Amino acid sequence: MQLQVMNSPFNEEQVEALNRLLPTLTESQKIWLSGYLAASQSQVAASAVITPDTVVQDQRVAETSPQIVNAEQSKTREITILFGSETGNCQALSEDLRTKLGGLGFKVELSAMDDFKTKGLKKVQDLLIITATHGEGDPPDNALSFYEFLNSRKAPKLEDVRFSVLALGDQSYEFFCQTGKDFDKRLEELGAKRLYPRVDCDVDFDDLAAEWTEGVLNELKASQSEATGGSTIVAQESSPLGTPLQQSAYSRTNPFKAEVLENLNLSGRGSNKENRHLELSLEGSNLEFEPGDSLGIYPENHPNLVDEIIEEMQWNPDELVAINKLGDVPLREALLSHLEITILTKPLMEKASHLTHHSALKELLAPGQEEALKAYMEGRDILDLLRDFAPWETSAREFVSILRKIPARLYSIASSYKANPDEVHLTIGTVRFHAHGRDRMGVCSGQCAERVKPGDRLSVYVHRNPNFRLPSDPEAPIIMIGPGTGVAPFRAFLEEREELEAQGKSWLFFGDQHFRTDFLYQVDWQRWLKEGVLTKLDVAFSRDTAEKIYVQHRMLQKSKELFQWIQEGASLYVCGDEKHMAKDVQDALLTIFQQEGGMSFEAAESYLTDLRKQKRYQRDVY
């Protein structure tokens, strides 16, 4: 939105300056700025009403700058924000909340759950928890230790604590927002009082997160007003505007249309897989990223699937339907670009059951049929739902209202910004499968494999992942474990280390099916080995040997040297499949610690936990 001179109190020069500045600000900077201006007005008002002698008042303000302290602040309860974040969303929300609370004068402590000293929990006054749920209802890695403590016999009674929980999740998973639900229930069991009801968010979390934030802020402001007799506390935090303005106007809610420069098939002829290497231009976006970050892509559904749905229901493709903030758009455009049509979830099935009298759908949703429902949803999409439970008593407009917004797909960035400014590289494994009588494919991976050509554009944004970062010391050794497309971020790691001329040792464990067809980025690894950027490379090609060999087997074979590297300060990184690979790799690490370190199983687990707390065991698994 551009300011205009005619509808603003600013002159032409001021409007021009504001229009240059505002698009560059992040949300936290805008929030801070609005809070700062509000605080400034409060000071002026206080000066005019309370202190007739403005010279003395100005002197007081100068003496307390940059921190303005109200005598009533001692009556304000301290707020503790704890976040459990796997990909960075919860951390970003927590930081924004801290900024808002600080602007209102609250004293705030912000911490990742694994950095929080649990012995101080009984001293907490107001506790705000923002957490994701990972995998099958598990806490994120950086929430594990706090989660286990809270659910142990060591957890203290919390009768004097007020709390609220914001839970992030994905409704396509069975245990939606389970970690947030667990925290909410356990805090209540320990005697804590709910400050504001828990809110559970799906992948499109912005509106619900904002609703929870507003509700929490209103409750806290009401409590503050009671504690201070109606007076307002004014505090001034250090400004985020003090750093150079390198922010982009593009974000998750305002994606950039990136031009596709290259789209190559990395897999050799005869491979059972298709892995694509995409290079996108970020020129003109002002988007930057660090190794370990991901790129979000908002995909389009397959046109054939969209047309089959419309034909099945005999709808008019040009009929206007409502899409939340976009207003009315043609039905075909809505199904193609805005709505999720390839995944079935329990909430969707429940909503759909009200639009048909088909008894079989209602039976699937009956108590005790959870396994049958789960089995039905696996591998099916909206077209299956419409065909299996016809006839439907609904219009197109009514039916699309039950569909959720199509979520972005995140891919680990496979390049270094320092090495390739204004470009971003991705490694995307194409998902194809046959189920329930039809050939199917991944929404985004299928689009990139079949319908995206150089010159086309994709809607993208940078998704920061502060929990997957290279060591700050370029001399520190690193061990990278990334089979398949999980190797993508390690290409970025080594590009970055090469650019910085880092001297730290590096060791890569890579695995896939066949050496001849599936050795992703083989030329890059061999060049870096020759030049010394990569110190060691161990590979496992599971289908090239009679007995399947995976990366965890190579780790066990090199257990003595691997443990020595860790003892010397190496950081461990794991990227790729969560269900099998990540668990197998972790089991291998525990075995190595026991064998080479002479530890008991319990001591090995504690050792791994300590590595995680030191940020020396980081995972990006999915």
Side-chain angles (χ1 to χ4, degrees), residues 188-323:
E188 185 177 45
E189 289 173 350
L190 293 171
K193 305 298 186 294
R194 198 169 278 103
L195 175 72
Y196 187 79
R198 186 190 76 248
V199 171
D200 298 333
C201 302
D202 198 4
V203 287
D204 185 26
F205 57 80
D206 298 272
D207 291 344
L208 283 176
E211 178 185 306
W212 176 83
T213 299
E214 182 180 1
V216 167
L217 290 177
N218 287 338
E219 291 296 329
L220 291 170
K221 284 189 288 186
S223 299
Q224 171 188 291
S225 181
E226 291 176 10
T228 60
S231 62
T232 302
I233 298 169
V234 180
Q236 183 174 325
E237 289 192 337
S238 58
S239 167
L241 302 173
T243 55
L245 288 174
Q246 295 296 326
Q247 301 295 329
S248 172
Y250 297 102
S251 64
R252 192 172 66 86
T253 54
N254 182 33
F256 175 69
K257 296 283 188 179
E259 181 183 356
V260 178
L261 303 175
E262 293 282 357
N263 186 353
L264 307 172
N265 186 359
L266 291 175
S267 303
R269 184 175 299 172
S271 174
N272 296 322
K273 300 183 176 184
E274 180 183 0
N275 294 302
R276 314 293 303 189
H277 173 80
L278 266 67
E279 297 183 4
L280 308 178
S281 171
L282 297 180
E283 186 175 358
S285 69
N286 204 26
L287 287 170
E288 297 181 6
F289 53 86
E290 296 181 58
D293 287 339
S294 298
L295 193 78
I297 300 178
Y298 283 106
E300 288 189 349
N301 290 306
H302 200 294
N304 291 353
L305 177 59
V306 170
D307 292 339
E308 285 183 84
I309 289 172
I310 293 173
E311 183 180 352
E312 178 70 26
M313 298 298 289
Q314 297 184 341
W315 286 332
N316 177 0
D318 298 320
E319 179 184 346
L320 295 180
V321 294
I323 302 296

Side-chain angles (χ1 to χ4, degrees), residues 80 82 121 124-129 146 161-164 187:
T80 301
L82 299 181
L121 183 60
V124 167
Q125 296 177 313
D126 288 334
L127 176 62
L128 304 178
I129 284 182
F146 182 74
V161 174
R162 299 186 305 179
F163 75 95
S164 186
L187 288 168

Side-chain angles (χ1 to χ4, degrees), residues 472-488:
S472 56
D473 179 7
E475 309 302 310
I478 58 174
I479 300 169
M480 302 164 286
I481 304 155
T485 56
V487 83

Side-chain angles (χ1 to χ4, degrees), residues 140 197 222 226 291 364 395 397 404 474 476 491 545 548 554 566:
E226 291 176 10
L364 264 182
S395 65
R397 192 176 183 90
R404 69 175 183 172
R491 184 175 183 266
T545 53
K548 292 181 180 179
R554 296 298 186 215
I566 295 171

Side-chain angles (χ1 to χ4, degrees), residues 398-410:
E398 184 179 25
F399 188 83
V400 300
S401 71
I402 72 173
L403 302 179
R404 69 175 183 172
K405 179 181 175 183
I406 190 168
R409 270 57 172 180
L410 294 179

Side-chain angles (χ1 to χ4, degrees), residues 519-538:
F519 197 169
L520 306 183
Y521 301 116
Q522 178 183 0
V523 174
D524 289 338
W525 311 129
Q526 290 177 333
R527 176 176 66 82
W528 281 324
L529 269 174
K530 183 179 178 181
E531 295 173 356
V533 177
L534 180 60
T535 311
K536 289 179 66 66
L537 173 64
D538 278 277

